[in-house]
Every structure is written in C-alpha cells, then in structure tokens.
Amino acid sequence: MPDTNHRITTTASQEVAESILSKVHNQPFARALETLRAASELTTEVVDPPPTHVPQKDLIKIPQVFQIRDQDVHESHVSDLKRLLTLHKALDPITVWRCEQSVIVIDGHHRLEAYRLWNREAPIPVSFFKGTVEQAIQFAETANSKAKLQVTYREKANYAWRLVVHADELGKLSKAQLIQRTHISKGTIDKMRKVARELGPQARTFSQWDKADREWQRQTTGVEHEIDDAWIQMEAMRVVDRLGATFAKTLANRPEVTATAFSHILGRKSLEIAQLMVEAKGLTMVLYDRDGNEINDLDGYEPPETEPDNIELPF
C-alpha cells in the first residue's frame, strides 16, 4: 500500500502557516515569493522517511513561482499522459516541496492534472525536494529544461524577464546567473536589464517580455519595434517554435531537400538569406556566376533556369 501518512508533528505555528499559504494562489511573483519565505521559516517536525504518495487534495500548485511556461498546463500533453495512465496505472513521481504543513508541486503539473482526469481518488507518487524556496525554483527551472514538452522561446523569454525584474529578491542574480538559468543570450539579457532599470516600478506590471519591450520603445523612441539584435533573435526564435523540434530535425537531416524547398519558398530572397546565414558564421561569401563573373548586386542578378522542361509537378 502506498504510504500516504504524512506523520507530521503539529506545532503551534501550523495555523499561522496555513493562514499565510491560503493567500498565495492569487499573489504576483514577488508577493508569493515573500509569502513562501515567511511560511518556510516556521518549523515543523517531519518524521523520516517522507511519504512516497500524497493524496491529490493535499497538493498545492503555485504556477506563478514554479512554472516557466506561460500556461499552467498544455491540455494535449495532459491527454497524452492520461492515456499512459490508462495503460500503465502510474507515472513517474512528481517533485514536491514541503513548506511548513503544505506540500507544493514544483515539477509535474501535467502529471498531476492527468491523475485528476484519470482518477481523483488515486494517491500521487511523489519525490520530496529538500531546500530553500530559491533552490526549489532553480530545481523547477532545470526540470523544465529537461522536459519532453518543449518550452518555447517566448516562454523562456518571459521567464527570463521575470527573473530580471525580481533579480534582487532572488539573491541579486548576476548577468551570468541569468544567462545560465534561462539560456537566453547575453544581448537579450542586457536589454532586459536596461528596460527593467529604465521602466522602474512599471516593469513589474508586465508579465510578458515583448510587451515590456514595446512599452519601453514607445517611451524612449516613440516607435514600438526598433530592429536590434535582441528583437531579431526573438522574432527568429518564434519562427523556430512554429517549425517545431521534429520538423527542424528533419530539415537538418535532409539538407538537399531543405535547400530546394526553401529556395522555392523564398524565391529571389533565398540568395540574400543564404549570404546572411554564411556571414552569421563569421565567413565572407564571394559569389560568381557560371561564367566566372563576380556578382556584386544580388538584387539585379537573375539565376538561370535549372528545372528540367519535363518536370511533373504534383499539383
């Protein structure tokens, strides 16, 4: 039988902690972090070993603190996990963190929702994380980066923006720490820090990086979309997100097909884009036509017809 007995020795501080934690659900990140710190400072004696299973009703979700993704859960992923539960009757343990008398989910939000759809009475297999609230947040970051469900660049950027805005409250996070924890480029982190500094208290009113950036652009230049390296990278990664990891792998494994497909899609722009891709790798590309003449003006260049006359198109 799963051990669902918490075997907790109640202290006089339990009622205080429960009162604190009851307010955390609708609090923004900074207030929620402060609440969790205050509650975790209240001590409770817990008998080891910790339980291997916990009733669903005892699990608390605080996604604004422990989730990188913009959405709490992706419903299609929950449905996939529910199908696995139907077949195997169990999923990998979710990771939880004890904050006074409460058990908080720090990794496994999708698995928890799958269990709730499958059987609301089933106890949840858990693994307890031991550490501070800051360490629990870092564990959730690492777990999300390893998760099978891809975190989009937009979600990573929004999470990086959250850490930048609250860097002081998280132990004065340095630029190097922000880059390491979010996998966002140095240039973008630099811009986020500048935007947060110049927007001041207003920066905390934006949960999404692109909206904060647009407001900063509006205030400083009167233009919402200044084209700089950070903006180019953000827009490029949005294209990557739309292509999807599986499709991108297929493209890389079939370079001849990929080159032909993109040449068709991009038309006359394909040469310009190919040149930019080469230059991004630190190389200089010199172009010659078939007669050995150097091409200096791509806009005026007309490539020769290469398709055979008898090609049969599938449409």
Side-chain angles (χ1 to χ4, degrees), residues 56-98:
Q56 293 183 36
K57 63 182 179 60
D58 292 347
L59 294 172
I60 296 175
K61 295 194 303 178
I62 310 177
Q64 71 269 36
V65 175
F66 297 109
Q67 267 282 46
I68 290 179
R69 297 182 176 89
D70 292 343
Q71 296 175 250
D72 186 6
V73 294
H74 290 253
E75 294 301 329
S76 61
H77 190 49
V78 172
S79 298
D80 291 340
L81 291 171
K82 182 188 173 187
R83 283 194 287 271
L84 289 176
L85 269 173
T86 303
L87 291 172
H88 303 294
K89 313 303 179 188
L91 298 172
D92 290 339
I94 68 174
T95 305
V96 296
W97 175 65
R98 190 185 298 286

Side-chain angles (χ1 to χ4, degrees), residues 191 213 224-236:
K191 184 175 182 182
D213 185 29
E224 287 194 356
H225 295 292
E226 180 184 355
I227 298 179
D228 56 14
D229 289 342
W231 182 86
I232 290 171
Q233 183 184 38
M234 182 170 65
E235 291 300 305

Side-chain angles (χ1 to χ4, degrees), residues 25-39:
H25 297 284
N26 297 319
Q27 290 178 340
F29 178 84
R31 291 287 304 279
L33 181 62
E34 182 182 346
T35 298
L36 292 172
R37 280 198 186 122

Side-chain angles (χ1 to χ4, degrees), residues 4-5 18-19 39 43 50 52 57 59 79-80 89 117 122 139 159-160 177 189 192 223 234 237 241 250 264 279 312:
T4 58
N5 182 5
E18 290 176 347
S19 175
T43 57
T52 60
K57 63 182 179 60
L59 294 172
S79 298
D80 291 340
K89 313 303 179 188
L117 285 175
F139 178 89
Y159 187 73
Q177 288 174 314
I189 293 295
M192 286 182 177
V223 180
M234 182 170 65
M237 294 309 297
D241 290 339
T250 301
H264 181 76
E279 291 174 352
E312 293 184 7

Side-chain angles (χ1 to χ4, degrees), residues 85-314:
L85 269 173
T86 303
L87 291 172
H88 303 294
K89 313 303 179 188
L91 298 172
D92 290 339
I94 68 174
T95 305
V96 296
W97 175 65
R98 190 185 298 286
C99 182
E100 233 288 335
Q101 300 296 322
S102 299
V103 181
I104 299 170
V105 178
I106 62 174
D107 177 54
H109 294 76
H110 289 84
R111 278 167 279 166
L112 175 58
E113 289 306 309
Y115 271 103
R116 287 177 173 172
L117 285 175
W118 177 63
N119 181 355
R120 283 191 169 270
E121 301 302 318
I124 306 295
V126 297
S127 173
F128 277 83
F129 174 84
K130 294 182 180 180
T132 64
V133 61
E134 290 84 3
Q135 291 169 335
I137 290 171
Q138 289 190 56
F139 178 89
E141 291 168 8
T142 303
N144 271 274
S145 67
K146 295 178 180 178
K148 292 181 180 179
L149 182 63
Q150 184 182 14
V151 179
T152 67
Y153 181 82
R154 177 186 175 87
E155 290 171 328
K156 288 180 183 178
N158 288 343
Y159 187 73
W161 170 246
R162 184 198 304 174
L163 294 190
V164 166
V165 171
H166 300 289
D168 288 345
E169 294 150 289
L170 291 167
K172 297 189 181 297
L173 294 178
S174 67
K175 178 165 61 177
Q177 288 174 314
L178 289 165
I179 295 170
Q180 181 183 24
R181 288 177 61 167
T182 63
H183 306 289
I184 295 294
S185 73
K186 174 183 177 297
T188 301
I189 293 295
D190 283 339
K191 184 175 182 182
M192 286 182 177
R193 297 176 86 190
K194 180 179 181 179
V195 170
R197 183 170 61 251
E198 296 186 3
L199 285 180
Q202 187 184 11
R204 292 178 175 234
T205 66
F206 296 99
S207 61
Q208 297 178 347
W209 160 237
D210 58 345
K211 291 183 178 179
D213 185 29
R214 283 202 298 270
E215 176 59 22
W216 175 76
Q217 297 280 2
R218 188 189 66 78
Q219 292 185 20
T220 56
T221 68
V223 180
E224 287 194 356
H225 295 292
E226 180 184 355
I227 298 179
D228 56 14
D229 289 342
W231 182 86
I232 290 171
Q233 183 184 38
M234 182 170 65
E235 291 300 305
M237 294 309 297
R238 285 178 177 172
V239 175
V240 171
D241 290 339
R242 288 196 292 270
L243 286 174
T246 301
F247 189 41
K249 183 177 180 181
T250 301
L251 294 177
N253 289 339
R254 304 175 70 185
E256 298 87 353
V257 174
T258 300
T260 303
F262 275 93
S263 179
H264 181 76
I265 292 169
L266 300 170
R268 287 173 293 179
K269 284 290 184 181
S270 60
L271 289 174
E272 179 184 348
I273 291 170
Q275 187 173 30
L276 289 170
M277 290 175 68
V278 170
E279 291 174 352
K281 300 297 183 182
L283 301 173
T284 299
M285 187 167 67
V286 180
L287 300 176
Y288 297 90
D289 65 17
R290 291 179 178 178
D291 297 325
N293 302 310
E294 185 174 345
I295 305 299
N296 296 315
D297 181 13
L298 285 178
D299 289 336
Y301 175 68
E302 289 291 339
E305 180 64 48
T306 57
E307 293 181 350
D309 294 335
N310 60 348
I311 188 171
E312 293 184 7
L313 296 176

